[in-house]
Amino acid sequence: MKIPISVKKTEVSSNSKSMQASPSGKRRAEPDEQCPLHNKPHPLRNCRGFRSKSLEERRAYLKENNICFKCCASFTHLAKDCHKNVQCRECRSENHPTALHPGLAPWISETPVTTREQGGEQGEEAPQAVTAKCTDICGTTVRAKSCSKICLVRVYPAGQREKAVKAYVVFDEQSNKSLARTEFFELFGVTEGTAAYTLKTCSGVMETTGRQANNFIMESLDGKTHIPLPTLIECDMLPDDKSEIPTPEIARHYPHFKRVVDKIPAIDPSASILILLSRDVPQAHKVRERCNGPHDAPYAQRLDLGWVIVGEVCLGRAHKPEFVNVYRCNVLSNGRTSPFDPCTNSLHIKEKLDTPEQHRQFLGANASEILFDGKDGLGKGVFQQTPHDNKPAMSVEDKLFLEIMDNEVFIDDSNSWVAPVPFRQPRRKLPNNRAQAVKRLLTLRHMLEKKPDMKEHMIR
């Protein structure tokens, strides 16, 4: 008997990617064609109503409607599968579109409208607008943003300016040799000059090898400064955090940086951090001008290669750091720094006696003042200390020897000193050496048989 099998046919729409079937079977326009929030013929990514919502509300709306978080223009794919290139028009970031820019929309006032500006009407009190300016600098990251001495320059071989490339350089006065990444050597085709060198970092000392580049010129963006570079050694252990590069947006939020806003270049996404300039290029480190500001604010310096900003630039100062850059890894019990973890199998005890009278329970007052400094009284009430504590003591056998000599040494009738042999007590039984004595006797007899004269002299 055959078992009946029943199936339900499922139809898959073969329309273009810009269409999606709704539960009712009707065509559903993509968010880039019709705004799903207002059902109007304008893209969702340009919708002012959608942009006016908070970032959490916008994200929740995209998630509920299965809209791509990256482009905000399609129901048919997710952000991880999106191949569109997006750029925020407000912060120039390539990580999110303008519709998902954090913070308030540009057309929303940061200050509440006063009663005078409303014409004196008494109505509902308008809610006060709350802004988070720190998101303009730090973005959506949970850690504070900090800037270091990083500058955008042009680098090219001497006499070949047409081969110039833009690169970021890091200024480090704690290094004694300038370094360059492997990418730098690949860009200019440097293949010769490999040499061994010793690299000393916080992690320890290591022997490594790398190529060396010579006869390179470093030029500022305005073309006014040209600095010959020393020999660059190949090393990939260079700082590579592009979030620490100063930007005009950072300078715009600090009053004492207003005059340098237009002098700091925007982030160049095509340029990488390729060079670390050490103190072997003193001209590059010299400060020609500076902007200090308040004590707890970041400061700016004008170097020959351009302006740099140094310090924590977070406006709110409320971020939790994810990573901490330190030169000192661990502090041992003796106060020295070490990259190794300290031993946990150690015990440190410190006892503080309350009164000086406790120091004198076992010693006199003068001895106590000499032996103890009053800072650490460990053991003063447990062990009696004397000036002879650090001297080596006699062993048990030494004491027994002295006792034997004291009790058994005497002067005999001939007025001579007589002393016993100080054997160990109790004396051990001597071993049986008969075999050794017989062997020596046979050897002597054999020798005398060969030498009659010697035998005659010995017998006499």
Side-chain angles (χ1 to χ4, degrees):
M1 179 179 178
K2 295 184 179 182
I3 301 175
I5 300 174
S6 61
V7 297
K8 293 183 179 180
K9 183 179 179 181
T10 302
E11 294 184 355
V12 180
S13 176
S14 60
N15 295 335
S16 62
K17 293 184 178 180
S18 62
M19 313 273 276
Q20 187 183 38
S22 63
S24 61
K26 296 182 180 180
R27 176 186 180 277
R28 186 181 181 186
E30 291 281 23
D32 211 28
E33 298 178 352
Q34 180 175 325
C35 174
L37 186 64
H38 301 105
N39 292 325
K40 299 294 182 180
H42 62 261
L44 177 65
R45 53 189 173 86
N46 296 335
C47 179
R48 293 172 67 92
F50 179 75
R51 178 66 181 84
S52 300
K53 296 178 178 293
S54 65
L55 181 61
E56 291 74 17
E57 293 176 343
R58 283 175 275 164
R59 288 180 176 272
Y61 183 83
L62 296 179
K63 184 177 181 181
E64 291 173 0
N65 292 272
N66 297 323
I67 301 175
C68 175
F69 275 67
K70 183 178 180 181
C71 63
C72 299
S74 177
F75 297 103
T76 59
H77 64 261
L78 301 177
K80 63 180 181 179
D81 301 323
C82 184
H83 300 291
K84 293 185 178 181
N85 296 325
V86 298
Q87 185 178 26
C88 179
R89 293 190 299 270
E90 298 180 25
C91 67
R92 302 299 179 186
S93 173
E94 297 180 356
N95 298 324
H96 62 265
T98 308
L100 292 181
H101 180 79
L104 294 179
W107 56 83
I108 299 179
S109 175
E110 295 183 359
T111 57
V113 180
T114 62
T115 305
R116 180 180 298 273
E117 294 171 341
Q118 294 177 355
E121 296 180 1
Q122 300 294 333
E124 291 187 0
E125 185 177 354
Q128 184 178 1
V130 179
T131 62
K133 293 183 178 180
C134 189
T135 56
D136 295 337
I137 295 180
C138 301
T140 57
T141 179
V142 297
R143 61 188 181 98
K145 185 176 180 63
S146 179
C147 287
S148 60
K149 299 178 71 172
I150 303 177
C151 191
L152 182 63
V153 299
R154 292 189 183 92
V155 184
Y156 57 89
Q160 304 179 29
R161 194 177 185 279
E162 66 278 2
K163 296 184 179 181
V165 297
K166 286 186 178 181
Y168 284 101
V169 296
V170 180
F171 299 87
D172 184 13
E173 299 90 346
Q174 301 302 318
S175 301
N176 60 355
K177 283 292 183 181
S178 295
L179 308 175
R181 289 187 175 277
T182 302
E183 182 181 351
F184 176 88
F185 291 84
E186 300 298 334
L187 283 174
F188 295 102
V190 179
T191 58
E192 300 179 354
T194 302
Y197 65 93
T198 302
L199 181 64
K200 184 177 182 181
T201 63
C202 295
S203 301
V205 181
M206 58 182 294
E207 296 287 341
T208 183
T209 59
R211 289 171 285 183
Q212 296 182 358
N214 298 295
N215 299 325
F216 278 85
I217 303 297
M218 183 169 49
E219 177 183 294
S220 60
L221 292 182
D222 56 9
K224 297 180 180 180
T225 303
H226 300 80
I227 301 178
L229 287 173
T231 300
L232 300 177
I233 302 176
E234 181 182 9
C235 179
D236 281 333
M237 298 180 64
L238 269 66
D240 191 20
D241 191 355
K242 298 187 72 172
S243 64
E244 296 184 353
I245 300 175
T247 61
E249 290 77 12
I250 296 173
R252 194 174 293 116
H253 285 81
Y254 286 90
H256 61 287
F257 288 160
K258 287 185 178 180
R259 64 187 182 91
V260 301
V261 172
D262 57 341
K263 300 176 182 178
I264 297 179
I267 295 292
D268 189 344
S270 63
S272 303
I273 300 177
L274 299 181
I275 301 175
L276 182 143
L277 291 179
S278 68
R279 55 178 179 265
D280 58 357
V281 193
Q283 179 183 351
H285 296 273
K286 291 186 177 181
V287 180
R288 310 300 182 181
E289 192 176 352
R290 67 186 67 208
C291 294
N292 284 327
H295 292 299
D296 57 346
Y299 61 93
Q301 295 178 343
R302 183 177 68 85
L303 309 177
D304 287 345
L305 297 174
W307 282 88
V308 294
I309 296 177
V310 182
E312 184 175 334
V313 297
C314 175
L315 297 176
R317 304 289 180 88
H319 293 277
K320 180 182 179 181
E322 290 181 342
F323 304 98
V324 179
N325 297 325
V326 296
Y327 288 103
R328 184 173 65 187
C329 300
N330 292 298
V331 180
L332 303 181
S333 58
N334 58 2
R336 296 187 61 184
T337 58
S338 172
F340 303 102
D341 294 332
C343 179
T344 57
N345 299 324
S346 59
L347 181 64
H348 301 277
I349 301 176
K350 187 174 182 179
E351 178 185 354
K352 183 69 175 178
L353 298 180
D354 297 332
T355 59
E357 285 74 15
Q358 294 176 315
H359 298 170
R360 301 181 175 87
Q361 293 180 359
F362 299 95
L363 300 174
N366 295 334
S368 176
E369 293 175 359
I370 296 174
L371 292 176
F372 307 122
D373 56 2
K375 295 181 180 180
D376 188 0
L378 177 62
K380 295 174 184 176
V382 179
F383 303 102
Q384 182 177 357
Q385 300 184 11
T386 66
H388 304 287
D389 287 345
N390 295 328
K391 295 181 179 181
M394 291 187 298
S395 64
V396 176
E397 295 181 350
D398 293 341
K399 293 180 179 179
L400 183 60
F401 170 79
L402 293 178
E403 183 178 353
I404 293 175
M405 299 303 291
D406 290 339
N407 296 333
E408 300 186 21
V409 173
F410 63 95
I411 300 177
D412 60 2
D413 298 338
S414 62
N415 201 23
S416 299
W417 285 97
V418 179
V421 178
F423 290 108
R424 293 176 181 267
Q425 297 294 337
R427 292 182 59 183
R428 292 183 299 177
K429 186 177 180 181
L430 295 177
N432 185 2
N433 62 342
R434 184 178 184 279
Q436 289 83 355
V438 172
K439 184 177 180 180
R440 293 185 66 179
L441 177 61
L442 295 177
T443 302
L444 178 62
R445 179 181 296 178
H446 182 70
M447 184 180 60
L448 295 178
E449 292 295 336
K450 288 184 176 182
K451 299 179 179 180
D453 297 339
M454 183 177 179
K455 178 179 180 180
E456 183 180 357
H457 294 160
M458 186 174 180
I459 294 175
R460 286 182 183 179

